[in-house]
Amino acid sequence: MSYLLIEGSARPDSRTGLVARQLAGILEGNAEAPVRRIAPAPHLAALADGAVAGGPVEAFQPVVDDVAAASGVILVTPEYHGSYSGVIKLVLDNLGYPSVLRGKPVGVVALGAARFAGTRAADALLSVLAHVRARPFGRYLFFPAIQDQLSESGELANPDLRAEVADFAAEFHRFSQCTRQAEGLEPG
């Protein structure tokens, strides 16, 4: 098994990237499986070209192949204007149709500055994941008031939140295993 985390912010040193990095480390430890993060910044030109072309372009194909090969994918997005980020939208649009997410376990992690940030982004992503026929993980992970959740070094400051991240990672791993077994992709 292997997992892929797709970051929804192209900003350098974004909070989205910090959360994705910590989640990747925790998931890798829980699942004892490789976890790779995809930062969108190096792919922005290919994502824009794919949006114009109506599908993934050659420069983005390695990412499409990585998503197709992953046992599960977690989308980590900031909430912008009450929805998920435009970067996540570009990534989803460049995964082809039918999407390589079809039948794949997909988790959603959403964060933002407001007290209830993330809920609208996660709900909007659920609709898209249903449309592409992914297998959405039924539990979201939210980071509201993210600016208050990170230490100066960028680590999760709250031990209860770290425990929740670990629980989310463990449950997502189990969900992915069960989904892949049900699909006949892994032995039972």
Side-chain angles (χ1 to χ4, degrees):
M1 292 193 82
S2 66
Y3 295 102
L4 193 65
L5 272 69
I6 300 175
E7 298 174 16
S9 175
R11 293 178 183 163
D13 302 319
S14 70
R15 292 178 178 132
T16 303
L18 293 173
V19 167
R21 179 184 50 129
Q22 291 177 66
L23 177 59
I26 292 168
L27 179 59
E28 197 165 63
N30 283 353
E32 297 179 359
V35 177
R36 186 163 166 251
R37 291 176 27 227
I38 299 289
H43 306 286
L44 288 177
L47 289 167
D49 289 346
V52 172
V57 295
E58 187 177 331
F60 195 67
Q61 193 59 46
V63 175
V64 175
D65 295 342
D66 287 347
V67 171
S71 303
V73 174
I74 297 177
L75 304 174
V76 184
T77 184
E79 184 173 295
Y80 291 153
H81 303 292
S83 191
Y84 53 89
S85 72
V87 170
I88 286 287
K89 175 67 170 145
L90 279 171
V91 169
L92 292 171
D93 287 350
N94 277 276
L95 293 179
Y97 195 85
S99 174
V100 294
L101 290 176
R102 185 179 185 147
K104 191 170 295 296
V106 180
V108 174
V109 175
L111 55 111
R115 183 173 166 206
F116 298 106
T119 57
R120 291 175 295 215
D123 287 343
L125 270 173
L126 179 61
S127 175
V128 173
L129 293 174
H131 177 74
V132 299
R133 298 181 68 188
R135 301 285 184 260
F137 179 41
R139 176 181 173 191
Y140 303 140
L141 182 60
F142 298 117
F143 291 89
I146 188 63
Q147 68 280 3
D148 299 331
Q149 306 294 336
L150 297 171
S151 68
E152 287 185 24
S153 64
E155 301 295 318
L156 292 173
N158 182 327
D160 292 335
L161 187 54
R162 283 195 307 269
E164 186 175 345
V165 171
D167 188 55
F168 175 89
E171 282 188 27
F172 181 75
H173 173 61
R174 284 191 299 274
F175 171 76
S176 296
Q177 285 179 312
C178 291
T179 301
R180 293 181 56 79
Q181 287 171 0
E183 298 282 333
L185 300 172
E186 291 198 12

